[in-house]
């Protein structure tokens, strides 16, 4: 089966050549939910923006690679055709529903905007009501302004607008990060149900491993613009292979454990200060001067690590 | 609280404010040197008993508090008083001139709003681009030029040197042409003063529109609208214009007083028979009742403009409590 979304060798760079995403390959099948995880600054959001063809600041561009949606390479589409894909074939949900809704427009106008942008202008009130119903909101919510809605309701409005035209792919960028824990579960459940009911492919971007475990079929772990490990969600949680993945999983709070969670030393390097070789090697307990600091590890068998064998026993055991 | 209740409450608050303005104007003018009788009589050596009689006729022999009380009493009954200089009731003088001023300021404000908003949006769309730099430079230059000086330049260039447009008045003195020809003739008279008056406000409105639009275009909700596939034109109309509108309206509303002051200068330069020209003449003639009436009208207009601005702001943005 051909993938719904097929990203191959994607590189996103700033105008001065510094790369935010490098040589990223990732596929999402119909009906599949793929998690893209990593710390802040790892390039997850840039990957999402590259798929949409919208960057939040000028000077950022896709410099290499393909982004195929149902076989069409989005990166080579002219701007007008690209706009036709946004909202119609790809829906996007953002992190903070408060700032991603126009404060002066009603919920209904936001959803109506999605229809109107793609030339659907008949029976709009009924369509808006149906879109609201699909996210468990009453039709009366259409007349509400964002400040009259709760955080969870706002996110539901954004999801309704993103799914209004029945896209094939939904990109959700940290959809629950800005919400209360009690509301998070409801939103995740909604996304799961929508994906199942519509056969939607979902690219879920998050730093929250709990969200990944609950929602995803497959996970790709990103570090400093590159994917370092990719696996089935159960396999990844059961047996993380990359030292970075192992560190991430060890830093999750575990109420059953007395000791404080593990904290990986260091942080993600800035786009202008990427280390040579494996980008993780300055933080890696197993790193060797050669090859780790000298050459980029190839991505093979779902893993990009020179020290895969040594890591099998747990990279951080001594730490 | 409902919008209607808010509007009524604000109108109620305007009454003591305008009363204070009326008292202050009266006291200030009464305290200024010179009086209408000397202005009326002029340098001609008038017999003292004649001057005394005129003073008595106009009630100027009374002490100031008495005159103030009488003025406020008349005002409460809607009587604006009698103009010594024009020998006519102030109300009819003002009514006669009001249309010309409304035509001039209305045209200037309308054109300035449309053009200013359009230029500001166009500049913001490509911030840092050629058009943006041209608009910003032009706006700074236009904002720095006083309307009376600009008006005189216009008269020199378009009326005196080129001879294209009339320089004085709001229409031909006699025999205006009927139908469309008359309308076009009227527009020819309106063009120079309206442009001289509008230029500052085009600049002001373009600058505030551009500044707000640049901010809004960077907002995350605009990114979300793009992600839904909305076109740039729709984003400008639906999101940018709407979110910029409160700031633009506020600037327009709070400049209502300056627009009227500018109109007085422009009317004087172009011989436009409006309220501003009447004010200028009444000051020169020490025509106190006319001065007071016009000053009060200007104050009322400013209060009203601010009220309208605030009501519109509330209509546009329901979050304003």
């Amino acid at each position: 089966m051909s993938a719904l979304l097929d990203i191959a060798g994607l590189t996103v760079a700033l105008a001065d050549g510094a790369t935010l995403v490098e040589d990223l390959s990732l596929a999402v099948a119909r009906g599949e939910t793929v998690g893209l995880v990593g710390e802040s600054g790892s390039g997850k959001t840039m990957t999402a923006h590259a798929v949409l063809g919208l960057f939040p600041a000028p000077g950022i561009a896709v410099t290499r690679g393909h982004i195929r949606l149902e076989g069409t390479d989005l990166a080579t589409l002219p701007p007008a055709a690209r706009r036709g894909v946004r909202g119609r074939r790809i829906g996007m949900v953002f992190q903070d529903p408060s700032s991603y809704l126009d404060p002066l427009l009603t919920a209904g106008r936001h959803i109506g905007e999605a229809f109107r942008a793609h030339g659907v202008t008949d029976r709009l009130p009924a369509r808006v009501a149906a879109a609201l119903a699909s996210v468990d909101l009453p039709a009366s919510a259409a007349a509400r302004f964002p400040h009259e809605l709760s955080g969870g309701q706002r996110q539901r409005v954004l999801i309704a607008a993103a799914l209004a035209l029945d896209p094939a792919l939904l990109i959700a960028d940290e959809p629950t990060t800005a919400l209360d824990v009690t509301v998070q579960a409801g939103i995740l459940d909604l996304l799961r149900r929508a994906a199942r009911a519509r056969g939607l492919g979902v690219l879920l971007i998050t730093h929250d491993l709990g969200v990944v475990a609950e929602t995803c079929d497959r996970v790709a772990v990103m570090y400093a613009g590159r994917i370092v490990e990719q696996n089935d969600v159960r396999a990844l949680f059961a047996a993380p292979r990359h030292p970075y993945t192992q560190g991430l999983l060890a830093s999750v709070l575990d109420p059953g454990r007395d000791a404080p969670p593990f904290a990986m030393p260091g942080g993600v390097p800035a786009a202008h200060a990427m280390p040579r070789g494996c980008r993780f090697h300055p933080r890696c307990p197993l790193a060797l001067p050669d090859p780790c600091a000298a050459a980029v590890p190839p991505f093979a068998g779902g893993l990009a690590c020179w020290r895969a064998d040594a890591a099998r026993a747990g990279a951080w055991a001594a730490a | 609280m409902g919008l209607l209740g808010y509007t009524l409450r604000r109108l109620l608050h305007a009454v003591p404010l305008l009363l204070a303005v009326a008292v202050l104007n009266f006291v200030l003018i009464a305290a200024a040197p010179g009086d209408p009788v000397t202005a009326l009589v002029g340098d001609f050596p008038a017999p003292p008993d004649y001057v005394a009689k005129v003073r008595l006729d106009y009630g100027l022999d009374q002490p100031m508090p008495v005159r103030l009380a009488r003025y406020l009493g008349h005002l409460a009954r809607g009587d604006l008083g009698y103009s010594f200089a024009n020998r006519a009731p102030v109300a009819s003088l003002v009514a006669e001139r009001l249309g010309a001023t409304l035509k001039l300021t209305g045209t200037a404000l309308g054109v300035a709003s449309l053009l200013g908003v359009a230029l500001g949006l166009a500049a913001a769309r490509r911030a840092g681009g050629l058009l943006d730099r041209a608009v910003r430079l032009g706006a700074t230059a236009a904002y720095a030029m006083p309307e009376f000086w600009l008006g005189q330049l216009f008269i020199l260039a378009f009326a005196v040197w080129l001879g294209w447009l009339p320089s004085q008045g709001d229409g031909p003195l006699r025999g205006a042409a009927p139908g469309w020809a008359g309308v076009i003739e009227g527009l020819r008279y309106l063009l120079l003063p309206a442009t001289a008056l509008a230029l500052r406000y085009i600049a002001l409105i373009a600058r505030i529109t551009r500044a707000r639009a640049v901010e809004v275009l960077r907002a995350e909700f605009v990114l979300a609208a793009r992600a839904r596939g909305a076109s740039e034109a729709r984003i400008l109309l639906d999101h940018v214009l709407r979110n910029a509108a409160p700031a633009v309206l506020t600037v327009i509303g709070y400049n209502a007083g300056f627009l009227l002051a500018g109109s007085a200068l422009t009317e004087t330069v172009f011989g436009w028979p409006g309220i501003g020209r009447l004010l200028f003449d009444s000051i020169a003639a020490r025509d106190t009742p006319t001065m007071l009436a016009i000053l009060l009208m200007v104050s009322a207009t400013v209060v009203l403009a601010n009220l309208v601005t605030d009501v519109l702001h509330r209509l546009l943005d329901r979050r304003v409590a």
Side-chain angles (χ1 to χ4, degrees):
Chain A
M1 188 187 78
S2 77
L4 172 67
L5 176 73
D6 182 16
I7 305 174
L10 177 72
T11 298
V12 175
L14 293 167
D16 61 8
T19 57
L20 303 173
V21 175
E22 194 163 274
D23 197 18
L24 178 139
S25 298
L26 183 68
V28 180
R30 287 184 181 76
E32 182 187 38
T33 297
V34 176
L36 194 55
V37 300
E39 288 165 279
S40 309
S42 59
K44 309 175 302 252
T45 297
M46 281 306 146
T47 305
H49 286 302
V51 174
L52 270 185
L54 284 178
F55 290 105
I60 307 173
V62 171
T63 53
R64 265 206 321 274
H66 302 289
I67 303 165
R68 290 199 187 83
L69 183 76
E70 298 171 312
T72 311
D73 191 354
L74 298 179
T76 60
L77 279 185
R82 195 81 196 261
R83 183 170 80 72
V85 172
R86 289 197 282 270
R88 180 185 281 282
R89 304 304 299 151
I90 306 175
M92 176 128 183
V93 176
F94 297 90
Q95 178 170 353
D96 180 0
S98 308
S99 55
Y100 284 95
L101 284 171
D102 187 332
L104 302 190
L105 293 186
T106 59
R109 285 287 298 268
H110 284 89
I111 299 169
E113 178 175 63
F115 286 114
R116 253 181 256 116
H118 299 285
V120 181
T121 51
D122 64 312
R123 297 191 304 112
L124 269 188
R127 289 178 194 277
V128 168
L132 285 168
S134 76
V135 294
D136 303 333
L137 286 178
S140 61
R144 298 267 170 278
F145 285 92
H147 71 276
E148 298 171 321
L149 300 170
S150 72
Q153 289 170 326
R154 285 179 213 155
Q155 191 61 291
R156 282 171 195 268
V157 169
L158 273 178
I159 293 172
L163 296 180
L165 284 125
D166 229 342
L169 176 72
L170 179 72
I171 301 176
D173 186 2
E174 306 269 10
T176 57
T177 306
L179 302 176
D180 291 342
V181 182
T182 46
V183 180
Q184 286 185 6
I187 295 292
L188 287 179
D189 178 55
L190 177 69
L191 288 176
R192 243 189 330 253
R193 277 189 290 133
R196 204 172 305 136
R198 299 165 188 250
L200 202 62
V202 180
L203 182 60
L204 179 74
I205 293 165
T206 181
H207 67 272
D208 187 333
L209 291 164
V211 169
V212 170
E214 248 179 273
T215 320
C216 296
D217 303 310
R218 215 148 45 78
V219 196
V221 180
M222 259 187 110
Y223 183 79
R226 288 173 166 276
I227 290 183
V228 293
E229 183 172 359
Q230 199 182 130
N231 209 340
D232 173 84
V233 70
R234 287 170 195 282
L236 187 114
F237 275 84
R241 293 187 289 160
H242 196 282
Y244 178 62
T245 317
Q246 294 174 354
L248 271 188
L249 286 175
S251 21
V252 175
L253 272 174
D254 181 357
R257 194 170 51 190
D258 242 1
F262 172 70
M264 241 186 301
V268 180
H272 290 93
M274 285 299 171
R276 274 172 48 82
C278 172
R279 289 183 167 182
F280 187 61
H281 87 258
R283 295 171 76 182
C284 181
L286 304 176
L288 298 172
D290 187 38
C292 297
V296 176
F299 188 82
L303 185 67
C305 182
W306 290 119
R307 304 277 287 147
D309 292 336
R312 202 161 293 149
W316 303 89
Chain B
M1 188 183 56
L3 206 58
L4 187 70
Y6 171 79
T7 310
L8 290 176
R9 206 184 46 155
R10 284 284 304 268
L11 277 173
L12 214 63
H13 285 179
V15 174
L17 183 65
L18 287 176
L19 181 69
V21 167
V23 170
L24 197 67
N25 283 343
F26 189 91
V27 171
L28 276 177
I29 290 174
D35 78 27
V37 176
T38 41
L40 193 69
V41 172
D43 291 335
F44 189 79
D49 55 329
Y50 172 71
V51 173
K53 183 184 174 306
V54 175
R55 280 181 187 280
L56 196 70
D57 283 353
Y58 292 146
L60 291 169
D61 55 330
Q62 304 288 329
M64 203 267 278
V66 175
R67 281 184 286 143
L68 173 62
R70 193 183 295 162
Y71 165 66
L72 292 178
H74 286 170
L75 208 56
R77 272 173 276 140
D79 179 4
L80 292 177
Y82 187 83
S83 162
F84 309 120
N86 295 287
R87 300 185 190 283
V90 172
S92 67
L93 276 177
V94 167
E96 220 170 85
R97 305 288 197 100
L98 195 60
T101 292
L102 286 180
K103 186 157 104 180
L104 179 63
T105 52
T107 307
L109 194 60
V111 168
S113 304
L114 287 177
L115 225 58
V117 167
L119 282 172
L121 285 183
R125 251 197 97 175
R126 304 233 185 286
L130 200 64
L131 181 72
D132 182 31
R133 277 180 286 171
V135 166
R136 276 190 292 169
L137 188 72
T140 307
Y143 194 67
M145 278 189 277
E147 40 289 79
F148 61 87
W149 182 72
L150 200 66
Q152 282 166 326
L153 284 190
F154 280 180
I155 289 178
L156 264 182
F158 297 101
V160 178
W161 291 340
L162 295 167
W164 289 348
L165 293 164
S167 69
Q168 297 289 306
D170 69 339
L173 287 177
R174 270 188 308 141
W180 284 109
V183 172
I184 291 173
E185 187 64 26
L187 287 179
R188 277 169 39 82
Y189 279 86
L190 184 58
L191 187 58
L192 287 187
T195 309
L197 183 57
L199 221 54
R200 272 174 84 86
Y201 299 97
I202 296 176
L204 191 69
I205 294 169
R207 286 207 318 196
I208 184 73
T209 305
R210 180 202 171 272
R212 269 302 286 154
V214 165
E215 257 175 57
V216 177
L217 278 169
R218 284 198 207 111
E220 288 171 334
F221 61 76
V222 166
L223 184 71
R226 289 193 178 120
R228 268 174 236 129
S231 66
E232 289 303 302
R234 285 242 66 103
I235 285 172
L236 277 183
L237 286 177
D238 291 347
H239 297 283
V240 178
L241 195 56
R242 186 174 288 253
N243 277 276
V248 175
L249 280 173
T250 301
V251 163
I252 294 175
Y254 289 179
N255 275 282
F258 294 100
L259 182 72
L260 289 173
S263 181
L265 296 171
T266 311
E267 286 173 18
T268 305
V269 170
F270 286 94
W272 190 267
I275 299 285
R277 184 66 207 268
L278 186 63
L279 176 64
F280 184 85
D281 291 343
S282 68
I283 292 170
R286 298 240 195 280
D287 184 356
T288 311
T290 310
M291 259 193 276
L292 285 175
I294 295 177
L295 291 178
L296 193 61
M297 272 180 60
V298 171
S299 308
T301 309
V302 170
V303 169
L304 198 67
N306 283 307
L307 172 62
V308 170
T309 304
D310 290 349
V311 169
L312 285 177
H313 195 159
R314 277 170 166 70
L315 267 178
L316 280 167
D317 188 346
R318 305 301 174 84
R319 291 168 301 173
V320 182

